[in-house]
Amino acid sequence: MKGRIAFVTGATSGIGAACVRRFVAEGAKVVATGRRRERLADLSRELGEACHVVALDVRERGPVERVFAELPADFAAVDVLVNAAGGALGLGKADEARVEDWEEMIATNVRGLALLTRAAIPGMIARRRGHIVNLGSVAGSYSYPGGNVYGATKAFVERFSANLRSDLLGHPIRVTNIEPGMVETEFSLVRFGGDRAKADAVYAGMKPLTAEDIADLVHFAVTRPPHVNVNRLEVMPVDQAFGPFAVHREHTGGRGRAT
Ligand code: NDP
Ligand code: 8X3
């Protein structure tokens, strides 16, 4: 990673923060971004000159479009973009979920990720060097109750990543979608609106992935030889797997059958 410059969104917590620390430990320079300024200041103090921090809300189009042009010269030639900013809000079924949560997930996980990527690509093409790493999810491929819009935003990330590969064919720019299952970060705390007991219950009695496990996969993808593109990496804890298809039977009660 020596001589490389990474730009990481969602760097104030979890997977993004772990990527920043891993990249710096491997000799890269990193632009770390997120909304919480105090966390960014902590990261800057911890990592020193190798880490340049920028407060950035990926939902704000103007700042996102300007952010690469406004970087200091020694951080400007970004060749790795890690789109980690995002998350889930709520676990309510489609008829009871908060519409505001849906709007915010779409604004961050879909629109923000797309805008950031769009802003990063021209510089990568000009420098003939680049790698876009997106944080998708198993929720983009597999359905679960209450996953409704969150899973759909991650399906977008998977398709957008693949479509980027089509558009970037002929340029030496790589695109990878990392698709984790359960990773213990602030993800569930955010999903459940700060309810610590509910968040802890998600990981109770099982061994989840860690943010460092995912940073390790991101590092793996970006350190393959230049002719190798890791398209998708799906990963789960050993303690997580798939369920059978759900079938509604009338004798179990619950909602009535469509007539
Ligand atoms: P965390 O909640 O720990 O981190 C989320 C990060 O996103 C924070 O740094 C937060 O920073 C940032 N963020 C949220 N909204 C915005 C915004 N509008 N603008 C800029 N930054 C924002 O969760 P994870 O680290 O687990 O999640 C990282 C990514 O990985 C997400 O996209 C998530 O969907 C995905 N993922 C997570 C899994 C898990 O089980 N944990 C599994 C699969 C995928 P701040 O609030 O300071 O802005
Ligand atoms: C996060 C993983 O299974 O909670 O994307 O949706 S899951």
Side-chain angles (χ1 to χ4, degrees):
M1 296 292 297
K2 279 206 169 48
R4 299 181 72 177
I5 301 174
F7 186 109
V8 180
T9 70
T12 53
S13 175
I15 295 168
C19 288
V20 172
R21 293 192 173 98
R22 179 67 185 268
F23 287 167
V24 169
E26 301 281 347
K29 289 201 288 191
V30 182
V31 181
T33 74
R35 291 169 302 178
R36 284 170 287 182
R37 290 170 187 271
E38 67 287 0
R39 297 255 185 126
L40 292 172
D42 290 346
L43 212 48
S44 175
R45 266 191 296 277
E46 175 190 333
L47 299 173
E49 285 184 355
C51 179
H52 175 75
V53 299
V54 178
L56 181 72
D57 184 332
V58 299
R59 294 169 302 178
E60 293 181 1
R61 179 171 166 180
V64 166
E65 286 178 340
R66 290 192 297 273
V67 72
F68 293 101
E70 292 176 351
L71 290 173
D74 51 340
F75 284 89
V78 169
D79 69 321
V80 177
L81 168 64
V82 179
N83 278 315
L89 294 171
L91 193 59
K93 295 210 178 146
D95 55 336
E96 57 198 26
R98 292 179 69 241
V99 169
E100 293 76 13
D101 288 345
W102 283 7
E103 287 180 323
E104 181 144 345
M105 286 188 280
I106 293 166
T108 307
N109 302 357
V110 173
R111 185 173 174 276
L113 183 141
L115 290 177
L116 221 294
T117 304
R118 177 66 182 83
I121 289 172
M124 291 180 174
I125 289 178
R127 291 185 292 274
R128 297 193 51 74
R129 194 171 143 110
H131 196 149
I132 296 156
V133 182
N134 291 328
L135 261 301
S137 168
V138 293
S141 299
Y142 310 103
S143 298
Y144 60 82
N148 42 65
V149 165
Y150 176 66
T153 67
K154 294 304 181 178
F156 168 88
V157 175
E158 186 281 322
R159 204 57 348 227
F160 184 54
S161 304
N163 288 347
L164 282 172
R165 289 231 58 229
S166 298
D167 288 356
L168 292 169
L169 186 66
H171 298 289
I173 299 174
R174 303 188 280 185
V175 185
T176 299
N177 194 36
I178 307 278
E179 304 172 15
M182 296 164 78
V183 189
E184 190 168 12
T185 60
E186 293 178 5
F187 176 86
S188 292
L189 197 61
V190 172
R191 172 170 247 175
F192 296 121
D195 186 328
R196 169 58 67 188
K198 263 191 176 175
D200 287 348
V202 172
Y203 311 107
M206 55 87 67
K207 191 171 172 55
L209 300 172
T210 65
E212 290 71 27
D213 292 328
I214 306 307
D216 196 37
L217 295 178
V218 174
H219 177 257
F220 171 80
V222 303
T223 54
R224 292 312 84 210
H227 67 288
V228 178
N229 193 95
V230 178
N231 293 344
R232 301 172 68 170
L233 269 176
E234 181 183 297
V235 56
M236 277 179 168
V238 173
D239 286 347
Q240 182 183 22
F242 312 97
F245 286 121
V247 179
H248 172 74
R249 300 183 198 284
E250 284 187 88
H251 66 266
T252 60
R255 298 178 198 190
R257 196 186 206 176
T259 50

